[in-house]
Amino acid sequence: MNNVIEINNLVAKYDTRIILDNISLEIKRNEIFIILGSSGGGKTTLLKHIIGLIKPVSGTINIFDQEVTRMESDKFDQILTQVGMLFQGGALINSMKVWENVAIPLEQHTKLPQNIIIDLVKQKLSLVHLEHAFHLYPSELSGGMKKRVALARAIAMDPKILFFDEPSAGLDPITALELDELILELKDKLGITLVIVTHELESIKRIADRIIYLQKGKKLFTGTLAEAKAADIDEINRFFSWK
Amino acid sequence: MYKINENTIRIGNSFYIDEIQPLITDLLKLDKDHSKVSFDLSGTVNYDNAVLAFINSLTKENYHILLSDKMKDDILKFNSSIMFNESEKQLLSGFEKIVSVFYSFLEQIRSFIILSADVFYYSIRSVFNKNGRRKGSVYEQILLIGNNAVPIVFLLAFLIGFILSLQSAAQLRQFGANIYLVDLIVISMITEMGPMITAIIVAGRSGSAIAAEISTMQITEELDALKVIALNPLKYVVSPKMIAMTVSLPVLTIMANLVGIFGGFIIAVIYLNLSPIVFFNRAVSVMTISFWWQSVLKSILFSWLIVLIGSHFGFNVKGGAEGVGKATTASVVAAIFAVIITDALLSIVFYFDF
């Protein structure tokens, strides 16, 4: 199968308020898929459903052709080890040093000897250009550095899918550009599928293969940017300032 | 700028927010029927939103108001912009309030029981299987919870033993029952004061730390990050604390018992002139093994209560930094409350059984 993620008729509710209304979509192997929409549109909720942090009210989610919404947690953990996620604030464990943070997945899910783990951690840190932060604590890093460490942790296990919750929010344009270059590199060199929630127009234009546009929990559009432009939908035109 | 001329209040060219309060004061001084007072704002060109709000409120009170067309427009716009219902939730009646408080209490109990079951399950599993928790984390926690609490536990246990003996000694002396001070201090320290004082100190030190740490991790999405790395937060974060607490608190309690008795020993020797040998012999004959069991059993239960209550409030944190503060406070209060209640219940059970 060419689809790594398939979502069918997903419905999410918070109390009685509907957050996601009958969302269906598929994400293909080795593409950069962007989740867009106005704030409160359900972007982060959709992401949290895919990685299993929230269980849906109804609908199914398939990852690597396996239905995950009703999967046992041990089995789902197997899938999660092939998945990485970068949280908005980085979500680094503040009581642990940078290298220990990056080492968490390696230490917990592999039986590799310590020296190999440290070598892998070094490799990931140099990939995000943070060699000098090895022995620092997260509180000693800037916001952008934290995100890069979090990215290093997310790719520590060489995942097949990588999720981003607003990677460039709060970053300066240059750091955001570097992050985008890193994302493209991950896609091309490692063949990773990337699912990204973002509003940064520049970033979307640089990296997006396909997008989904959510409005008030409903799917307004899925497809490539060119298709979005051709579709000529008011809301999306306004979002990209196309007219 | 405004001028009051008998019943007419003439507002000048400019009128701003800081002149409203003086005008209201003057208006009260006029003390006349509203319909007889008139405002002339026809010449007012410069004003701010506060003035609009003020004039808008005047229109509802029967005043005679003369406005320029522009201002009329502005007030209409202002009025339409505030025409929405700001109350977000329906207010509950008294009875509904009581029911909802009771319901949320039951909900808390329910989630506490589920959490406890999970924590026990994962802690027992992680004693035998180190997968899913960090290397050295138990040792680290024992240092934090146990080792670092030794000085304060020693000091307080000593003082409690000392004061308890001092107060009792004065009474016992009157009856020449000096020797019974030994019984009193040994039994009360080992079965009551030792476990309880230690648990209260540790609840304040480490229970609050557990609640603060977990609630912060919850707010900063660290717990979600762990879940996505396929790590169970209960196993990774809570189980080391649970194991460390279960080991540390009984050890601290035993130390506290001995130090408290030593406090009594000093009073007995200096104030009651008991000989050290007599004190020692009496103490050994009084402390049966069952008292020590009671002490250890109590402290183990307390240790579980402290960790479970700390993590319960940590996981259920709402809001930001303020929420962390509330969770921490609530966890300490609840933990000390639970410790004392449990102590009372256990004391009754042991008193009739042993």
Side-chain angles (χ1 to χ4, degrees):
Chain A
M1 277 287 272
N2 210 14
N3 294 339
V4 284
I5 298 173
E6 275 178 28
I7 297 172
N8 292 310
N9 308 321
L10 183 72
V11 176
K13 280 184 189 166
Y14 181 77
D15 287 339
T16 51
R17 206 152 50 90
I18 293 178
I19 309 289
L20 292 174
D21 190 2
N22 214 6
I23 303 288
S24 299
L25 64 94
E26 59 273 335
I27 297 170
K28 299 191 178 90
R29 194 175 300 279
N30 199 16
E31 75 172 350
I32 297 181
F33 188 84
I34 309 253
I35 302 173
L36 299 173
S38 48
S39 45
K43 303 184 294 289
T44 303
T45 311
L46 177 59
L47 201 61
K48 286 191 170 168
H49 274 87
I50 302 176
I51 53 173
L53 288 177
I54 313 176
K55 293 285 170 210
V57 173
S58 67
T60 60
I61 299 170
N62 286 27
I63 302 180
F64 306 129
D65 288 330
Q66 295 177 71
E67 218 284 305
V68 296
T69 48
R70 271 163 283 276
M71 194 177 254
E72 278 179 31
S73 67
D74 285 355
K75 227 175 150 197
F76 188 56
D77 282 352
Q78 287 294 315
I79 289 180
L80 283 178
T81 55
Q82 304 172 54
V83 159
M85 161 107 191
L86 180 72
F87 284 84
Q88 225 176 87
L92 299 173
I93 309 295
N94 277 306
S95 55
M96 294 161 121
K97 287 179 177 175
V98 163
W99 79 265
E100 290 171 317
N101 261 291
V102 180
I104 296 172
L106 295 164
E107 278 173 354
Q108 296 303 328
H109 297 308
T110 68
K111 300 230 181 308
L112 295 173
Q114 187 75 1
N115 60 330
I116 292 182
I117 288 180
I118 288 183
D119 287 349
L120 282 170
V121 168
K122 282 181 176 167
Q123 183 222 348
K124 302 302 177 203
L125 281 178
S126 66
L127 194 67
V128 295
H129 313 297
L130 276 177
E131 298 88 341
H132 60 282
F134 193 83
H135 277 298
L136 297 179
Y137 280 95
S139 58
E140 296 169 291
L141 304 179
S142 71
M145 288 160 85
K146 272 184 204 163
K147 273 191 181 163
R148 271 144 65 199
V149 175
L151 178 59
R153 183 177 68 185
I155 57 175
M157 296 278 287
D158 292 332
K160 295 194 179 102
I161 312 174
L162 202 47
F163 296 95
F164 289 80
D165 193 1
E166 309 208 3
S168 35
L171 296 185
D172 65 274
I174 294 173
T175 316
L177 179 70
E178 282 169 5
L179 191 66
D180 285 347
E181 282 164 357
L182 205 58
I183 287 171
L184 288 171
E185 203 178 306
L186 290 174
K187 181 199 164 195
D188 296 335
K189 282 194 188 155
L190 303 176
I192 297 178
T193 308
L194 297 111
V195 181
I196 303 173
V197 169
T198 182
H199 317 279
E200 302 290 320
L201 284 180
E202 288 307 313
S203 170
I204 295 165
K205 284 172 190 163
R206 277 196 292 264
I207 60 177
D209 286 325
R210 284 190 323 129
I211 62 165
I212 179 169
Y213 194 97
L214 296 173
Q215 190 193 28
K216 291 184 183 144
K218 287 199 170 68
K219 180 170 82 176
L220 210 60
F221 175 81
T222 33
T224 63
L225 272 184
E227 284 165 7
K229 200 164 188 175
D232 196 26
I233 299 166
D234 240 17
E235 169 95 10
I236 298 177
N237 286 342
R238 277 230 303 281
F239 186 93
F240 286 102
S241 343
W242 277 331
K243 264 173 196 167
Chain B
M1 279 277 288
Y2 63 92
K3 265 183 207 149
I4 300 180
N5 193 354
E6 268 191 65
N7 287 345
T8 313
I9 300 168
R10 198 183 179 81
I11 311 260
N13 185 30
S14 308
F15 191 64
Y16 291 117
I17 187 163
D18 47 343
E19 290 165 291
I20 295 173
Q21 184 54 43
L23 177 54
I24 291 174
T25 321
D26 290 341
L27 207 56
L28 287 174
K29 277 186 210 147
L30 273 179
D31 192 29
K32 282 208 178 112
D33 193 6
H34 288 177
S35 56
K36 284 181 190 148
V37 179
S38 64
F39 283 83
D40 183 0
L41 287 117
S42 53
T44 313
V45 204
N46 303 316
Y47 45 82
D48 50 23
N49 285 306
V51 172
L52 291 179
F54 173 60
I55 305 294
N56 189 38
S57 74
L58 289 180
T59 55
K60 286 164 195 151
E61 292 182 33
N62 270 334
Y63 287 107
H64 219 282
I65 304 173
L66 196 63
L67 292 171
S68 67
D69 285 347
K70 183 171 174 285
M71 203 160 184
K72 257 183 210 159
D73 247 29
D74 283 349
I75 285 176
L76 274 178
K77 269 185 218 154
F78 181 85
N79 221 340
S80 71
S81 73
I82 60 171
M83 280 299 154
F84 62 89
N85 201 357
E86 81 266 38
S87 64
E88 49 179 341
K89 271 183 192 164
Q90 261 189 315
L91 289 173
L92 299 174
S93 71
F95 179 68
E96 282 173 321
K97 247 184 223 164
I98 293 167
V99 171
S100 81
V101 166
F102 182 67
Y103 183 76
S104 75
F105 178 73
L106 285 185
E107 191 58 41
Q108 289 240 351
I109 299 280
R110 193 184 76 98
S111 73
F112 181 75
I113 291 170
I114 292 172
L115 177 78
S116 308
D118 283 348
V119 169
F120 277 119
Y121 173 74
Y122 286 115
S123 300
I124 291 168
R125 241 175 73 165
S126 95
V127 170
F128 300 107
N129 180 358
K130 289 195 172 90
N131 279 347
R133 78 175 149 86
R134 223 174 121 211
K135 233 184 271 167
S137 54
V138 170
Y139 175 71
E140 195 178 272
Q141 290 296 324
I142 288 179
L143 278 187
L144 277 174
I145 295 170
N147 193 51
N148 295 356
V150 167
I152 182 82
V153 167
F154 265 51
L155 180 66
L156 290 185
F158 174 78
L159 287 176
I160 294 283
F162 188 83
I163 292 161
L164 208 61
S165 311
L166 186 64
Q167 298 285 8
S168 322
Q171 308 300 321
L172 290 171
R173 204 179 194 180
Q174 295 178 19
F175 305 102
N178 293 8
I179 189 72
Y180 289 108
L181 179 75
V182 186
D183 301 46
L184 190 144
I185 194 68
V186 166
I187 295 174
S188 64
M189 239 10 247
I190 296 179
T191 61
E192 290 297 326
M193 294 318 268
M196 201 159 81
I197 290 297
T198 317
I200 288 174
I201 295 169
V202 172
R205 273 187 91 254
S206 307
S208 59
I210 290 170
E213 183 181 340
I214 292 176
S215 55
T216 311
M217 290 180 86
Q218 178 80 283
I219 283 168
T220 53
E221 293 185 309
E222 286 174 43
L223 294 178
D224 282 347
L226 286 176
K227 282 181 205 157
V228 177
I229 304 174
L231 291 172
N232 189 322
L234 292 179
K235 222 171 175 185
Y236 197 77
V237 181
V238 181
S239 83
K241 298 185 199 307
M242 190 75 173
I243 297 169
M245 191 69 98
T246 316
V247 174
S248 304
L249 200 59
V251 175
L252 282 176
T253 302
I254 290 170
M255 290 179 185
N257 294 343
L258 295 175
V259 172
I261 294 170
F262 176 69
F265 171 78
I266 289 186
I267 293 293
V269 171
I270 293 175
Y271 185 65
L272 293 180
N273 298 322
L274 278 181
S275 97
I277 307 271
V278 170
F279 185 97
F280 183 77
N281 286 339
R282 181 77 190 175
V284 170
S285 73
V286 169
M287 52 173 97
T288 57
I289 198 79
S290 80
F291 285 144
W292 283 104
W293 273 122
Q294 265 186 57
S295 194
V296 169
L297 191 74
K298 274 185 179 178
S299 66
I300 289 177
L301 278 178
F302 294 162
S303 72
W304 293 343
L305 281 174
I306 293 169
V307 177
L308 291 173
I309 290 174
S311 20
H312 170 77
F313 283 101
F315 282 117
N316 291 311
V317 65
K318 298 246 156 56
E322 192 202 357
V324 174
K326 277 185 188 161
T328 312
T329 313
S331 86
V332 175
V333 173
I336 291 177
F337 180 75
V339 161
I340 292 176
I341 295 277
T342 315
D343 184 69
L345 290 176
L346 285 179
S347 294
I348 294 168
V349 170
F350 287 135
Y351 184 80
F352 289 108
D353 266 359
F354 282 86

